[in-house]
Amino acid sequence: MARTATQELGNESVRMGLGPPMDLAELPAPPPFNLRNFVKMLGVGAILVSVSIGSGEWLLGPAAVIQYGPQLLWIVTIATILQTVFNLETQRYTLYTGEPVMVGLMRLPPGRWLWGPLWILLTVVSIGPGWALASATALAAMALGRMPEQADKAWVIALGIVAMVLVMAVVSFGQRVERTLARVSTVAIVFIFASLLIFDLWLVPFEWWGKIAAGFFNFGFLPAAKGGQGVDWILLGGFAAYAATGGIFNMATSNWMRDRGWGMGSQVGYIPSLIGGRRIEVSETGKVFRLTEENLRRFWEWMRYARWEQWTLYFIGCMLGMYFSVLLAAGLIAPGTKVGGWAVAARQAEAVAQHLGTFGWYWVLLIGFWVLWGTQLNATDAAVRHLTDLLWNLGPAFRRLARQDIRLIYYVILAVVTLWMAYLFVVGTPLGLVLLVSNAAGLVFVIGGLMVLWLNSTLLPRELRPNWVNQLLLLLLAVFYGFFVYKAIAAALAG
């Protein structure tokens, strides 16, 4: 039977679940909570919003709403609430232990030799080059002066490979990878949101503002088959999963929190950049704090920062990102239009160009490139750091091979992932690849929601466990996404 962290082995170590004991260390105090300090500590939420606005807001949200109507947007409301709670529960574990939550799941029975391969597999199937390839369609459209078609596939693939090489370059420079991602994401978010707001105010009829807003509260609506065509449940399943962030990318919030040094993350090390970073000693396991009155007060102050970041920057950012993106597409593209193929990232630009000409065409394509390439950047890092942390903690053999330098594991995996995605460029289409990994994200929410609930409700000390509301919401997360996973699998099997 798994033992909780309150059952100490000795004065300096704690047994937690089936993994190796954790050393006791000091929990640092967060800065006093005020607006100035809160703004200075933002970062993880910016990365998550940057991931969310790529596939859900720019691709799948407009595609689903144009095809079936804004009444579908209630799915975004439910998904964003549930994903925000899921993010906070992954962060709860990391604030106490310093371990990324996916590593923590290895402590659940029967142990890492079952859960390790499972989560490696789920991570691999959840990452793809669809965002880079979609961003390449935006670049190709800028070069061609029109939307790319199947005949332009080679040109788009070449630009997609360039986009992936640029991803590798960005995560290779700086002091630590997480800090570089936060800075790039912040710049991208400001540009994207400002541009979308300008276009929406400039071009979208006022009546659409209310229609789109009402859709977020039209709870329970689901489209019905009509005209001899069934409902595209694969599109809707992907839309639900990426309505906010999506599966393993939500779980990476705990990895980025560890690297940012929140809570006990400051005691275990981080993944430094290849160029500009220095070798960092990363702990082989997490570290926990004594359950003193002062440490408990500090823990809940850290959680206060996490909650404010998630419910302000992340929740509001995801909702506004979806609203502004869908508003632009639905207000300018004819209802019922099926968006897909090689033109998926350029459809909005085509619609804007009808009103603003060449200027609008290039501006919206530039937005699309930043949205989609930024998603590929952060999504690639999320998958690679999941695999890195899993291998680093699975056993000493991997640490010896890397000569105790976690950067070697990270960048070798990054190179392998990049080669794998270059192959996928050739065999897939942008929207097809995004739909594949987005539906895999729905499965991650089903499994991950139940396992995070199990982890935090049984292995954390009683003083730190989630309340019954959060436990219920994690169950609802699994049920909500279980429905869409079932419908998508049934649709796939039906051909």
Side-chain angles (χ1 to χ4, degrees):
M1 179 178 175
R3 304 164 72 185
T4 70
T6 56
Q7 296 173 294
E8 295 193 10
L9 292 176
N11 293 329
E12 299 300 328
S13 62
V14 168
R15 171 77 67 185
M16 187 169 176
L18 300 181
M22 297 189 189
D23 292 337
L24 286 165
E26 184 68 19
L27 174 64
F33 188 87
N34 55 51
L35 181 59
R36 182 179 180 182
N37 287 334
F38 173 67
V39 172
K40 289 171 61 176
M41 292 184 65
L42 292 176
V44 174
I47 298 173
L48 286 172
V49 172
S50 180
V51 174
S52 72
I53 201 171
S55 298
E57 281 83 340
W58 194 253
L59 295 182
L60 301 185
V65 170
I66 292 169
Q67 193 166 339
Y68 296 114
Q71 301 94 322
L72 275 180
L73 289 171
W74 70 272
I75 294 174
V76 177
T77 305
I78 299 298
T80 308
I81 292 172
L82 295 176
Q83 289 190 35
T84 302
V85 173
F86 182 69
N87 295 345
L88 285 168
E89 289 307 313
T90 65
Q91 292 178 337
R92 181 192 302 270
Y93 178 82
T94 301
L95 286 175
Y96 174 61
T97 67
E99 285 185 346
V101 72
M102 197 175 284
V103 174
L105 298 180
M106 304 304 105
R107 295 180 174 274
L108 294 170
R112 61 187 181 182
W113 297 113
L114 171 64
W115 303 126
L118 172 65
W119 281 104
I120 288 174
L121 176 63
L122 288 173
T123 300
V124 169
V125 300
S126 295
I127 181 64
W131 307 283
L133 199 54
S135 71
T137 66
L139 291 179
M142 293 174 73
L144 295 169
R146 59 173 172 78
M147 292 191 295
E149 300 172 352
Q150 184 66 29
D152 304 307
K153 180 176 180 179
W155 178 237
V156 176
I157 288 174
L159 290 174
I161 293 174
V162 171
M164 280 305 306
V165 171
L166 187 58
V167 166
M168 292 187 67
V170 169
V171 298
S172 297
F173 289 89
Q175 181 180 3
R176 62 179 77 184
V177 176
E178 177 274 333
R179 185 170 296 171
T180 301
L181 295 176
R183 289 172 178 171
V184 173
S185 298
T186 300
V187 173
I189 288 171
V190 172
F191 169 71
I192 292 164
F193 274 71
S195 297
L196 286 174
L197 181 58
I198 290 170
F199 277 123
D200 286 334
L201 290 170
W202 194 350
L203 300 175
V204 179
F206 183 73
E207 62 185 88
W208 277 101
W209 290 70
K211 288 182 181 179
I212 299 301
F216 286 95
F217 305 98
N218 195 44
F219 297 105
F221 170 82
L222 289 172
K226 58 183 179 180
Q229 293 189 350
V231 176
D232 189 348
W233 285 105
I234 295 177
L235 172 62
L236 295 185
F239 168 57
Y242 277 0
T245 302
I248 64 165
F249 311 127
N250 293 77
M251 298 178 77
T253 182
S254 69
N255 303 66
W256 290 317
M257 173 178 275
R258 183 272 312 271
D259 281 19
R260 199 161 184 80
W262 283 32
M264 294 303 290
S266 62
Q267 305 295 325
V268 298
Y270 59 87
I271 299 177
S273 299
L274 183 65
I275 302 171
R278 59 186 178 86
R279 178 171 174 170
I280 297 294
E281 182 178 346
V282 179
S283 176
E284 298 176 3
T285 186
K287 295 182 181 181
V288 297
F289 55 84
R290 289 183 174 86
L291 300 176
T292 64
E293 183 176 342
E294 175 61 20
N295 281 337
L296 290 174
R297 185 192 66 79
R298 292 179 177 181
F299 174 84
W300 290 112
E301 278 295 292
W302 281 113
M303 279 296 297
R304 185 182 184 186
Y305 273 108
R307 286 168 175 160
W308 270 82
E309 182 181 54
Q310 288 299 305
W311 287 111
T312 56
L313 179 60
Y314 178 73
F315 177 79
I316 295 175
C318 288
M319 294 290 286
L320 287 179
M322 182 66 77
Y323 179 68
F324 289 148
S325 297
V326 169
L327 182 62
L328 179 63
L332 299 179
I333 301 174
T337 301
K338 189 171 184 179
V339 180
W342 293 93
V344 65
R347 185 69 70 179
Q348 292 96 322
E350 183 185 50
V352 170
Q354 294 177 3
H355 297 269
L356 302 180
T358 303
F359 167 74
W361 168 263
Y362 284 106
W363 190 352
V364 176
L365 286 175
L366 184 60
I367 297 172
F369 169 77
W370 268 108
V371 165
L372 297 162
W373 180 81
T375 299
Q376 187 71 65
L377 171 68
N378 292 313
T380 300
D381 171 76
V384 171
R385 70 175 52 243
H386 276 316
L387 296 173
T388 300
D389 285 322
L390 284 171
L391 292 180
W392 186 258
N393 288 273
L394 273 179
F398 295 105
R399 296 190 289 271
R400 286 197 300 267
L401 284 173
R403 300 177 182 177
Q404 298 298 318
D405 189 346
I406 198 170
R407 290 180 300 178
L408 293 179
I409 296 179
Y410 179 90
Y411 286 102
V412 167
I413 293 175
L414 177 62
V416 172
V417 166
T418 301
L419 290 174
W420 165 245
M421 289 194 288
Y423 165 73
L424 292 179
F425 280 159
V426 180
V427 299
T429 63
L431 187 59
L433 291 168
V434 169
L435 285 174
L436 174 66
V437 297
S438 61
N439 279 276
L443 180 61
V444 168
F445 279 129
V446 175
I447 300 174
L450 294 175
M451 290 190 69
V452 170
L453 173 61
W454 182 11
L455 178 74
N456 285 355
S457 299
T458 59
L459 298 193
L460 290 186
R462 295 186 182 279
E463 297 89 337
L464 308 181
R465 292 178 185 175
N467 58 31
W468 70 268
V469 175
N470 281 16
Q471 293 181 28
L472 177 62
L473 289 173
L474 285 178
L475 282 175
L476 290 176
L477 175 84
V479 173
F480 180 76
Y481 283 107
F483 168 79
F484 286 101
V485 169
Y486 166 76
K487 299 293 284 188
I489 291 176
L493 293 176

